[in-house]
């Protein structure tokens, strides 16, 4: 097969790396990729969010399958354009992507289909959000309606933080059009899980339970980010898969069918395990980042066959390793608000000692006479081992081979003691 991957972050590097290990893959291409991906695939400068340019690229290089990594190409209708051109694609339709691109739409979908979720109020102005606050007790949860690169959720501890959030979202427009509408939502204490589900026209398969660490700082302090690390499986909650399937996955999938969403891809379900039971926080219509980094290496099988089967409307049998995987994200100074770009990255090849069980994935990096940071989450350190604790030690040990000014990473990834109540 010749497979084209769309995207250029650490998630897409993880996808490319998984596909590179398939005996079925003869050629790998990526648009637009990054310096790490370019070592394993042919990279093209094509904008992955531009349907016309993606179709032009596929007409030129003729892939057998396109795998869409990030949400932006899905939101802009790239998957629909590819299918209209009779190209197999792993990724849901533009209509289905509204489950991620609009928190309001997603919340309404959950209500229509009896999916358990937190109570919320939709607001369209500063005046409305200040009125809505009276219906809730602190801490207050405020969610931007649109895409915000993992920065659209704020937990406000008190009235002053809430009022600053209202000012930022509706007056200063710090997230642009993403806050034309917002949700004010009840705070749900508990532990947060990431559940990925492969979906093919109503058929589905559950992937191992992951846990993402969203906050910038140790002990879940600081602002929300796109994700500072993850681990899988979360053995503490794996026994709850049957309950998650019954109460959340099945009504969600029934809703997708009932509302005629074209869904061939992966569905990410953010779940809060509360005392009253599991509750859905959000949907994403693609693999999480950094969850993809820990899920993909745990499959005892061929991801090329899996992606191709789902793109063709089928769910293959999946067999998972009993190993554990841990990912620690290395971010730049100023992340998430003002990530510093153009900082030189040094990687000590003697210390790196990378192999199939421990390696560095590129996220926001750029290459011009050396390797440099190009955004917030520059690199991911990934390790696989027999236990979570051993994988964790290996992932942190690997970081010793990387150095750049302002490099930041959490020290408590995968401790399995994370209490969240994120949103």
């Amino acid at each position: 097969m010749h497979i084209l991957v769309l995207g250029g972050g650490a998630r897409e590097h993880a996808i490319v790396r998984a596909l590179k290990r398939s005996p079925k893959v003869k050629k790998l291409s990526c648009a637009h990729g990054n310096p790490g991906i370019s070592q394993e695939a042919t990279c093209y400068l094509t904008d992955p969010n531009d349907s016309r340019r993606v179709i032009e690229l596929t007409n030129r290089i003729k892939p057998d399958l396109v795998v869409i990594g990030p949400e932006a190409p899905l939101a802009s209708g790239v998957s629909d354009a590819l299918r209209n051109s009779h190209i197999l694609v792993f990724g849901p339709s533009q209509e289905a992507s509204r489950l991620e691109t609009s928190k309001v739409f997603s919340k309404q979908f959950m209500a229509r289909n009896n999916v358990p979720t937190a109570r919320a109020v939709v607001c369209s102005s500063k005046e409305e959000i200040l009125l809505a606050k009276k219906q809730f007790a602190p801490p207050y949860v405020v969610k931007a309606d649109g895409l915000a690169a993992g920065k659209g959720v704020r937990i406000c501890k008190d009235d002053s933080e809430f009022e600053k959030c209202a000012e930022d979202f509706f007056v200063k427009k710090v997230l642009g059009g993403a806050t034309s509408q917002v949700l004010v939502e009840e705070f749900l204490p508990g532990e947060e899980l990431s559940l990925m589900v492969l979906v093919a026209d109503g058929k589905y398969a559950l992937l191992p339970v992951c846990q993402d660490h969203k906050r910038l700082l140790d002990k879940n302090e600081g602002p929300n980010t796109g994700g500072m690390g993850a681990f899988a499986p979360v053995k503490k909650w794996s026994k709850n898969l049957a309950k998650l399937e019954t109460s959340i996955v099945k009504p969600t999938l029934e809703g997708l069918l009932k509302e005629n969403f074209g869904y061939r891809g992966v569905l990410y379900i953010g779940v809060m395990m509360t005392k009253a039971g599991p509750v859905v926080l959000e949907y994403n219509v693609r693999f999480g980042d950094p969850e993809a980094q820990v899920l993909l290496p745990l499959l005892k099988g061929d991801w090329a066959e899996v992606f191709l089967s789902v793109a063709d409307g089928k769910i293959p049998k999946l067999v998972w390793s009993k190993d554990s995987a841990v990912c620690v994200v290395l971010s730049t100074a100023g992340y998430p608000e003002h990530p510093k770009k153009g900082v030189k990255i040094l990687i000590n090849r003697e210390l790196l000692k990378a192999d199939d069980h421990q390696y560095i994935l590129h996220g926001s990096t750029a290459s011009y006479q050396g390797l440099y940071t190009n955004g917030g989450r520059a690199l991911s350190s990934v390790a696989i081992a027999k236990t979570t604790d051993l994988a964790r030690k290996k992932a942190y040990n690997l970081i010793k081979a990387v150095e750049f000014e302002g490099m930041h990473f959490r020290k408590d990834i995968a401790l399995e003691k994370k209490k969240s109540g994120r949103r």
Side-chain angles (χ1 to χ4, degrees), residues 11 16 109 240 407:
R11 163 185 47 225
V16 166
F109 172 88
N240 292 74
M407 183 174 81

Side-chain angles (χ1 to χ4, degrees), residues 120-197:
V121 175
V122 181
C123 305
S124 302
S125 68
K126 184 179 177 182
E127 292 72 27
E128 287 184 11
I129 194 175
L130 292 176
L131 278 174
K133 178 175 70 72
K134 297 177 181 179
Q135 300 183 42
F136 299 90
Y140 307 103
V141 182
V142 184
K143 295 182 178 180
D145 178 51
L147 293 178
K151 303 165 197 169
V153 179
R154 290 201 189 177
I155 311 290
C156 305
K157 290 184 288 188
D158 52 34
D159 288 359
S160 64
E161 282 194 10
F162 186 93
E163 286 163 18
K164 182 183 183 304
C165 177
E167 181 80 6
D168 285 347
F169 282 5
F170 283 113
V171 180
K172 294 181 180 178
K173 293 285 185 181
V174 295
L175 296 177
T179 54
S180 58
Q181 287 187 305
V182 304
L183 290 175
V184 180
E185 192 172 277
E186 67 177 319
F187 178 85
L188 295 173
E191 190 164 348
E192 187 177 346
L193 307 176
S194 301
L195 179 62
M196 311 285 161
V197 187

